[in-house]
């Protein structure tokens, strides 16, 4: 996510803005910038890359001013570049804006303003905000009213910091669905996306709420509701230390990212269904019927967790869209001399967009003429830049090594891809599409429902933490989910665990089952339920303890499992996303219980950029 900071007060804003941005680096970013009111003008310094680059530029060309805004950008619209870095200016550099969030109707606003003669230089959605404020300001409103009018018009999520050359002592802020706090100082006041940015200066904050607008000067803070009624806020005293604040109060980034999943899934669904409900819109990716019929074969290629998300895609595209899909580990694909050509579509899945094996696999595919679709989280990453098409997974930066929210975002992308292909190839009816679409739009609240039961998972951890060997078993989609569950436990709890096709146990591995074995049985797929239950009974008969993950309402499983975690009912094809949430929490609590470093597990890197 982007980072927003702002300052107005007795001191030079620049060092305060830079310090604030450096405290927000954990949010992940690919460019940075500041703007201050200096000698009658708003002066901007921006850079692609790290904050150090910004400091180097400021060393050569120092800026100073008692009011300013700053930004670290995690690109969502437009690649990381100078032009796309914030602050974004209005046409005559009179108004500067920094923004965290996604303006969903920015294209319509941009077209309207271009017709009014505005000149856009960036690919960002934020620039539309700067020009729209300018438009209303030039229509005769004062700057605060122009901001009110603008936030009334824009749709989507925003945390805004705004300064205007004609009001050199006023810093304006507004928020909706993106975090923003106001720091209360002495003869100085602050805004920031998150507490860490201001804790060096004040621990007294106002927690501004959605649809509120704030006007800050050095000596005064006014907060207004959306009808411009001034509202009084309680001062919130922050007692977190800075490191805790970066995790928004969660003990670990992994837990924070697990709990971000409702928002991440929602973000990945927004604007990805056609307004007339006639199908899916995969951003700028066409992949229409004609293109799909021209494709000879599809490969989905990835590593680790991303590979498992790709397996969900393979299973669903084959099952629902009825076309064959190959799925390969990137580290295998790149050396097997795969039979690919210009009629092959290779879908590479990667959170970081920098995984060496996946990058190499993509380059091999392109060298053989294949078309490459990247399902990527890091905007502007190598895979994102080199793929022919990109479907961004909009999960924001994932700091914890163990992937959680990125997996959910990738699986959501697989759901969308499946539906898109099935609709383009007329493999499902419009009614079936609507049923699945409506169920998908329920997913964020269903994920949230599961997260409220985290204490139940914690109790399972206390009961099973001393298990020496753990099997995750399932059939069909449940088998794929069990692979991801097993990986999580391995990588952060350092427990040997193994995913197994439930129907395969009897062909050897059941010899390993004994009293101390824990078997996690994923049984969400009702058509396979009886079969998997028989496998659960087989392991029970050999002394295993069984923790089942089942769909709510399926009480039958309680006859056979020692414990059951129920996920809310949903369409069978969407179950993998929900069934994985308790697995994430189980691995997290077990790792914690064993005293491991949950966010930075031993031997692992967040992005494996070497072979
Ligand atoms: C997942 O928890 C691991 N960190 C790892 O398997 C990861 O998914 C894999 O390295 C792929 O990374 P990528 O998605 O950035 O390409």
């Amino acid at each position: 996510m982007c980072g927003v900071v702002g300052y107005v007060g007795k001191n030079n804003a620049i060092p305060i803005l830079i310090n604030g941005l450096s405290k927000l680096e954990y949010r992940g970013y690919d460019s940075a910038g500041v703007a201050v009111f200096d000698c009658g003008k708003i002066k901007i310094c921006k850079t692609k890359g790290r904050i150090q680059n910004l400091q180097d530029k400021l060393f050569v060309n120092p800026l100073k001013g008692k009011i300013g805004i700053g930004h670290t950008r995690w690109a969502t619209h437009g690649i990381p570049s100078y032009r796309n870095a914030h602050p974004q200016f209005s046409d005559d550099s009179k108004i500067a804006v920094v923004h965290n969030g996604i303006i969903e109707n920015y294209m319509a606003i941009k077209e309207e303003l271009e017709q009014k003669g505005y000149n856009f230089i960036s690919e960002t959605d934020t620039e539309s905000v700067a020009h729209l404020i300018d438009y209303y300001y030039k229509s005769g409103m004062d700057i605060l009213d122009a901001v009110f009018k603008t936030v009334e018009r824009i749709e989507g999520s925003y945390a805004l910091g705004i300064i205007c050359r004609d009001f050199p002592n006023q810093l304006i802020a507004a928020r909706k669905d993106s975090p923003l706090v106001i720091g209360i100082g002495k003869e100085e006041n602050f805004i920031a996306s998150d507490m860490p940015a201001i804790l060096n200066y004040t621990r007294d904050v106002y927690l501004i709420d959605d649809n509120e607008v704030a006007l800050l000067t050095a000596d005064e803070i006014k907060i207004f509701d959306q009808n411009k009624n001034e509202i009084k806020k309680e001062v919130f005293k922050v007692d977190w230390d800075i490191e805790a604040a970066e995790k928004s109060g969660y003990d670990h980034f992994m837990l924070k990212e697990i709990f971000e999943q409702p928002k991440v899934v929602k973000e990945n669904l927004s604007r990805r269904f056609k307004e007339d409900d006639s199908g899916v819109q995969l951003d700028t990716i066409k992949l229409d019927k004609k293109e799909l019929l021209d494709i000879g074969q599809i490969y989905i290629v990835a590593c680790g967790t991303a590979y498992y998300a790709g397996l969900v895609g393979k299973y669903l595209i084959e099952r629902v869209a009825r076309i064959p899909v190959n799925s390969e580990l990137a580290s295998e694909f790149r050396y097997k001399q795969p039979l690919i050509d210009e009629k092959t579509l290779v879908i590479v899945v990667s959170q970081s967009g920098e995984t060496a094996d996946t990058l190499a696999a993509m380059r091999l595919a392109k060298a053989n003429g294949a078309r490459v679709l990247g399902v990527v989280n890091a905007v502007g990453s190598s895979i994102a830049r080199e793929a022919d098409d990109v479907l961004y997974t909009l999960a924001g930066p994932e700091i914890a090594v163990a992937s959680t929210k990125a997996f959910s975002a990738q699986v959501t992308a697989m759901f969308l891809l499946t539906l898109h292909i099935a609709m383009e190839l007329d493999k499902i009816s419009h009614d079936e599409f609507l049923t699945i679409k409506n169920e998908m739009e329920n997913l964020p609240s269903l994920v949230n429902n599961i997260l409220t039961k985290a204490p139940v998972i914690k109790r399972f951890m206390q009961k099973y933490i001393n298990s020496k060997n753990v099997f995750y078993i399932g059939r069909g989609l449940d088998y794929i989910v069990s692979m991801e569950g097993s990986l999580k436990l391995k990588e952060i709890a350092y427990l040997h665990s193994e995913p197994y096709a439930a129907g395969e146990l009897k062909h050897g591995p059941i010899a390993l089952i004994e009293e101390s074995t824990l078997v996690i049985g994923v049984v969400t797929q009702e058509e396979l339920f009886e079969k998997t239950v028989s496998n659960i009974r087989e392991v029970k008969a050999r002394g295993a303890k069984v923790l089942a993950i089942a769909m709510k309402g399926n009480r039958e499983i309680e006859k056979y499992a020692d414990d059951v975690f129920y996920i809310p009912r949903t369409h069978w094809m969407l179950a993998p996303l929900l069934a994985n949430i308790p697995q994430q929490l189980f691995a997290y609590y077990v790792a914690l219980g064993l005293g491991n470093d949950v966010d930075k597990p031993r031997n692992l890197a967040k992005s494996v950029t070497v072979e």
Side-chain angles (χ1 to χ4, degrees):
M1 297 142 298
C2 306
V4 164
V5 293
Y7 175 81
V8 55
K10 60 195 175 191
N11 296 313
N12 179 6
I14 289 294
I16 295 168
L17 297 174
I18 295 294
N19 177 277
L21 292 178
S22 63
K23 294 284 186 263
L24 298 179
E25 285 195 283
Y26 73 88
R27 299 164 68 88
Y29 68 103
D30 41 55
S31 52
V34 290
V36 287
F37 182 80
D38 183 2
C39 306
K41 291 202 305 186
I42 294 179
K43 293 182 182 169
I44 273 188
C45 179
K46 306 194 288 188
T47 181
K48 183 182 169 189
R50 314 306 293 167
I51 290 170
Q52 186 56 54
N53 303 357
L54 191 61
Q55 288 177 288
D56 295 346
K57 281 190 167 185
L58 288 164
F59 181 75
V60 175
N61 295 307
L63 296 180
K64 64 178 179 10
K66 295 187 181 303
I67 181 169
I69 49 180
H71 189 262
T72 48
R73 181 173 182 250
W74 172 266
T76 53
H77 293 77
I79 58 167
S81 67
Y82 178 87
R83 272 185 320 123
N84 290 332
H86 300 200
Q88 288 290 318
F89 253 147
S90 61
D91 256 357
D92 54 5
S93 307
K94 178 170 283 194
I95 295 167
V97 175
V98 290
H99 165 230
N100 174 31
I102 292 181
I103 306 299
E104 297 186 358
N105 61 338
Y106 85 96
M107 284 306 287
I109 292 170
K110 179 173 179 176
E111 284 157 17
E112 179 191 318
L113 291 171
E114 282 174 332
Q115 282 160 19
K116 292 179 176 4
Y118 279 85
N119 168 41
F120 285 72
I121 58 172
S122 83
E123 303 156 280
T124 67
D125 52 346
T126 307
E127 191 180 2
S128 300
V129 175
H131 291 316
L132 190 58
I133 296 171
D134 182 74
Y135 169 71
Y136 287 125
Y137 178 58
K138 287 199 171 74
S139 69
M141 298 181 184
D142 79 11
I143 190 64
L144 186 62
D145 287 335
V147 171
F148 269 101
K149 190 70 183 158
T150 297
V151 296
E152 201 181 288
R153 275 287 307 275
I154 59 180
E155 295 163 14
S157 56
Y158 56 81
L160 296 170
I162 303 146
I163 55 176
C164 175
R165 189 174 59 213
D166 298 346
F167 299 85
N169 61 349
Q170 289 187 4
L171 169 61
I172 299 176
R175 70 152 288 181
K176 177 174 165 291
D177 292 341
S178 286
L180 195 68
V181 294
I182 295 175
I184 309 161
K186 287 184 180 49
E187 298 171 76
E188 60 184 9
N189 290 305
F190 310 79
I191 63 169
S193 296
D194 205 353
M195 309 283 193
I198 55 174
L199 290 185
N200 281 351
Y201 309 101
T202 179
R203 287 181 173 273
D204 294 341
V205 300
Y206 289 130
L207 301 175
I208 182 171
D209 293 311
D210 280 353
N211 302 311
E212 291 178 355
V213 175
L215 175 64
L216 291 77
T217 63
D219 304 308
E220 190 178 41
I221 297 171
K222 288 185 175 178
I223 300 174
F224 304 91
D225 67 17
Q226 60 195 56
N227 303 315
K228 210 178 168 187
N229 303 311
E230 190 173 347
I231 45 183
K232 289 299 171 204
K233 290 265 182 184
E234 290 293 311
V235 175
F236 175 81
K237 291 197 172 297
V238 183
D239 57 6
W240 293 337
D241 62 35
I242 286 189
E243 197 201 337
E246 286 177 355
K247 298 167 191 141
S248 301
Y250 288 100
D251 291 339
H252 298 95
F253 280 114
M254 183 177 175
L255 193 61
K256 175 174 178 250
E257 288 153 9
I258 287 172
F259 277 78
E260 284 178 345
Q261 290 179 113
K263 181 173 184 295
V264 165
V265 173
K266 186 178 177 194
E267 204 82 36
N268 275 281
L269 295 174
S270 83
R271 300 188 324 286
R272 286 187 168 158
F273 291 107
K274 290 176 181 164
E275 287 190 4
D276 62 2
D277 269 348
S278 61
V280 171
Q281 57 190 29
L282 297 171
D283 298 350
T284 56
I285 302 162
K286 221 168 66 167
L287 206 58
D288 61 10
K289 183 168 189 173
K290 180 184 176 313
E291 289 182 3
L292 286 164
L293 293 174
D294 283 349
I295 289 170
Q297 58 178 345
I298 297 177
Y299 271 95
I300 302 180
V301 179
C303 299
T305 286
Y307 170 70
Y308 302 138
L311 276 178
V312 170
K314 166 194 165 57
Y315 186 95
L316 290 178
I317 294 169
E318 290 192 332
R319 179 79 187 271
V320 178
R322 308 309 291 161
I323 55 174
V325 177
N326 307 298
S327 179
E328 290 279 357
L329 286 167
S331 53
E332 291 294 311
F333 179 83
R334 62 183 291 199
Y335 295 115
K336 65 178 285 188
Q337 296 176 24
L339 300 169
I340 47 181
D341 59 19
E342 65 287 343
K343 283 192 163 300
T344 304
L345 170 66
V346 175
I347 301 169
V348 290
V349 185
S350 177
Q351 188 286 127
S352 63
E354 301 298 345
T355 299
D357 285 322
T358 311
L359 193 51
M362 177 187 71
R363 288 169 177 164
L364 173 69
K366 285 177 69 83
N368 285 275
R371 174 180 174 178
V372 172
L373 164 59
V375 177
V376 183
N377 195 43
V379 176
S381 56
S382 303
I383 290 176
R385 285 198 310 276
E386 296 179 31
D388 299 304
D389 293 296
V390 184
L391 182 63
Y392 281 120
T393 51
L394 305 177
E398 191 175 62
I399 310 297
V401 166
S403 184
T404 51
K405 64 174 184 175
F407 177 78
S408 292
Q410 291 160 353
V411 166
T412 304
M414 294 299 130
F415 294 158
L416 291 165
L417 205 50
T418 299
L419 275 188
H420 173 75
I421 295 173
M423 286 294 280
E424 286 297 321
L425 298 181
D426 307 312
K427 300 292 184 180
I428 58 172
S429 69
H430 188 242
D431 285 350
E432 285 170 314
F433 165 74
L434 289 178
T435 301
I436 297 167
K437 170 181 176 284
N438 293 336
E439 293 272 12
M440 284 179 76
E441 288 172 337
N442 276 336
L443 284 174
S445 65
L446 299 185
V447 172
N448 206 45
N449 174 279
I450 294 170
L451 295 173
T452 61
K453 297 179 187 137
V456 174
I457 303 290
K458 200 167 184 177
R459 286 198 294 277
F460 289 151
M461 175 279 290
Q462 288 152 355
K463 185 171 179 182
Y464 296 114
I465 190 168
N466 296 316
S467 305
K468 290 297 168 257
N469 282 296
V470 185
F471 274 88
Y472 286 74
I473 67 170
R475 288 171 181 254
L477 285 172
D478 288 338
Y479 173 36
I480 299 168
V481 168
S482 68
M483 294 176 190
E484 171 57 13
S486 173
L487 177 64
K488 283 293 118 11
L489 197 69
K490 280 194 272 268
E491 66 177 328
I492 62 172
Y494 314 149
L495 280 184
H496 182 259
S497 82
E498 201 162 350
Y500 236 92
E504 190 60 15
L505 280 170
K506 55 186 168 298
H507 298 285
I510 200 163
L512 293 173
I513 304 294
E514 52 192 7
E515 292 291 325
S516 62
T517 307
L518 169 64
V519 173
I520 293 176
V522 187
V523 285
T524 70
Q525 300 298 300
E526 285 175 5
E527 64 179 12
L528 297 166
F529 177 76
E530 293 305 332
K531 298 292 179 193
T532 308
V533 163
S534 65
N535 302 130
I536 286 175
R537 298 181 68 175
E538 286 161 12
V539 298
K540 279 294 292 172
R542 286 152 180 87
K545 291 281 183 260
V546 175
L547 165 57
I549 298 173
M551 200 83 88
K552 188 170 173 12
N554 180 354
R555 304 296 303 270
E556 179 76 8
I557 188 62
E558 292 173 21
K559 295 178 189 167
Y560 311 106
D562 297 275
D563 289 288
V564 183
F565 184 89
Y566 286 107
I567 62 171
R569 299 199 69 78
T570 187
H571 191 278
W572 65 267
M573 72 173 261
L574 309 178
L577 191 148
L578 298 185
N580 187 50
I581 308 291
Q583 294 187 142
Q584 294 171 342
L585 289 166
F586 184 71
Y588 171 78
Y589 287 124
V590 171
L592 212 54
L594 295 172
N596 297 349
D597 182 341
V598 173
D599 284 335
K600 297 186 183 70
R602 67 187 184 197
N603 310 339
L604 297 180
K606 180 57 188 170
S607 177
V608 184
T609 55
V610 293
E611 275 204 58

